[in-house]
Amino acid sequence: MNAFGRKKVLIFTALVFGLGGLLKAGARGAAVFTVGRFLSGTAAGSAAFPSILIVFIIAEKNEQWRVILLIGGIIGFAQAAALVFLPESPSSLVASGDMEQARKELIKIRGTPDVEGELASYQDKPAGQSERADDIEPLGEDDPLLEAGPAPKPENIKIGLLEFITKREYRLGFMIVAGVMLAQQLTGINAVVFYGVSILHDLLPNSAKYLNAAISGVNLFVTLGASFLFDKVSHRSLLIVSIFMMGFFALVLAISISSGLAILSAIATLLFVSSFSMGLGPLPWMVASRRIEPKAVGAAQSTALTANWMGTFLVSFAVPVIAHAAGMAVVFWIFAALGGIFFCWGLRYL
């Protein structure tokens, strides 16, 4: 992102998605399929937005698995073509010193040549000056968590990943971008997305697969509904309430699974996913680009994505092991406890 710009990186990863989807869909052996899987996984590390609901609908027929993989490839190529017409980020161009191109892109985005005031706001911080963690005023209840700050002057040097992780002035930003991504995963959403059928099969053997599709639908539509609140309600409030509700419904799930209460387990599962979709699902992806100054956004995004995939790996690996050894109820007791921990963390630092 630092070297080539965000738009070019998005186009490249979309093309990699397309190639990976084509290789997987047409694979006749393990070697080609593995290469396609590797390409798709690499692209997913920087630009992933699969439609889980569509996948579940198509996956009802096992023979359609090649179609599912092909759709991923088609979407990748379609996205690459559409991204050609997307303007580059003006703040990113300012940070790299290309003021003229930043002006052109900002005029294209705003639809007016009167952009000098906004353009100046991207460079009004003295060169070399960064916010120290202990100089940042705590955000109030009504302040948006993800409020964008001023951009540095274009002559500022880009911040690398190691520098972002180790330098004191970025410590608070590092903790927030990594913390919200870990909270997103370690509160248990992928335990439901990955293992929803397994969780509910014993209690609802005839309905579990349909409920799993309903879970994906709830995730989609609650996220769309919640998007209308993002400009009206404090992002901090949405995140904290989302974490609290996920912890609470994880507790309800643990109790209902232990007690064999099928209907309560189904309701708690849907409310658990709804709680995720209203805040902890969409908002963490916005933190790095809105909370971190432009010269460090690339490193912050890399940190966020690394934390996200670490959390995803931990959940996908640990859940079946713990469930096999102690039962699925114990899994959700753990998620309820983690929800409480992240809730306390959010009250202190978000």
Side-chain angles (χ1 to χ4, degrees), residues 136-147 176 236 291 349-350:
I136 300 176
E137 296 183 4
L139 294 171
E141 175 63 25
D142 296 326
D143 294 332
L145 170 69
L146 313 179
E147 183 177 5
I176 289 175
R236 177 181 185 272
R291 186 68 172 84
Y349 291 107
L350 293 182

Side-chain angles (χ1 to χ4, degrees), residues 190 194-195 310-324:
N190 277 329
F194 293 165
Y195 307 110
M310 287 174 63
T312 302
F313 170 78
L314 183 60
V315 169
S316 62
F317 175 79
V319 166
V321 173
I322 297 172
H324 178 74

Side-chain angles (χ1 to χ4, degrees), residues 22-34:
L22 291 182
L23 288 175
K24 289 184 295 182
R28 299 298 176 187
V32 175
F33 190 89
T34 301

Side-chain angles (χ1 to χ4, degrees), residues 39-80:
L39 291 175
S40 296
T42 301
S46 55
F49 200 141
S51 177
I52 298 174
L53 178 61
I54 294 174
V55 169
F56 269 115
I57 293 172
I58 298 175
E60 286 301 315
K61 296 183 177 180
N62 292 331
E63 66 270 16
Q64 298 298 321
W65 67 269
R66 289 186 185 272
V67 176
I68 297 173
L69 300 177
L70 181 60
I71 288 174
I74 293 171
I75 290 174
F77 286 125
Q79 183 183 26

Side-chain angles (χ1 to χ4, degrees), residues 124-316:
D124 61 3
K125 183 182 289 186
Q129 177 182 335
S130 298
E131 290 180 320
R132 288 172 33 176
D134 52 5
D135 291 336
I136 300 176
E137 296 183 4
L139 294 171
E141 175 63 25
D142 296 326
D143 294 332
L145 170 69
L146 313 179
E147 183 177 5
K153 276 189 176 295
E155 61 265 29
N156 282 348
I157 299 173
K158 294 280 188 178
I159 299 300
L161 182 60
L162 183 61
E163 192 174 9
F164 179 74
I165 294 173
T166 57
K167 291 192 73 171
R168 185 174 182 271
E169 57 261 42
Y170 297 106
R171 192 169 299 162
L172 179 62
F174 167 74
M175 182 179 63
I176 289 175
V177 297
V180 292
M181 282 299 185
L182 289 175
Q184 185 191 68
Q185 296 303 315
L186 298 184
T187 46
I189 186 60
N190 277 329
V192 173
V193 172
F194 293 165
Y195 307 110
V197 173
S198 301
I199 292 169
L200 300 169
H201 184 268
D202 292 339
L203 298 175
L204 297 165
N206 297 321
S207 306
K209 65 179 182 179
Y210 302 111
L211 185 60
N212 214 44
I215 288 169
S216 298
V218 166
N219 192 3
L220 172 64
F221 291 112
V222 174
T223 300
L224 290 174
S227 66
F228 294 102
L229 297 176
F230 293 163
D231 292 331
K232 301 177 181 178
V233 180
S234 163
H235 294 163
R236 177 181 185 272
S237 297
L238 286 173
L239 280 169
I240 290 175
V241 170
S242 178
I243 294 170
F244 174 81
M245 291 176 64
M246 288 189 72
F248 174 77
F249 288 117
L251 178 62
V252 174
L253 257 175
I255 295 172
S256 61
I257 292 173
S258 298
S259 305
L261 303 174
I263 301 301
L264 181 59
S265 296
I267 294 172
T269 300
L270 292 174
L271 292 174
F272 179 84
V273 174
S274 299
S275 302
F276 172 82
S277 302
M278 66 177 285
L280 202 52
L283 288 178
W285 299 102
M286 305 177 191
V287 172
S289 61
R290 299 297 302 277
R291 186 68 172 84
I292 307 299
E293 56 183 307
K295 68 176 180 178
V297 164
Q301 292 282 22
S302 297
T303 300
L305 286 163
T306 300
N308 180 272
W309 284 104
M310 287 174 63
T312 302
F313 170 78
L314 183 60
V315 169
S316 62

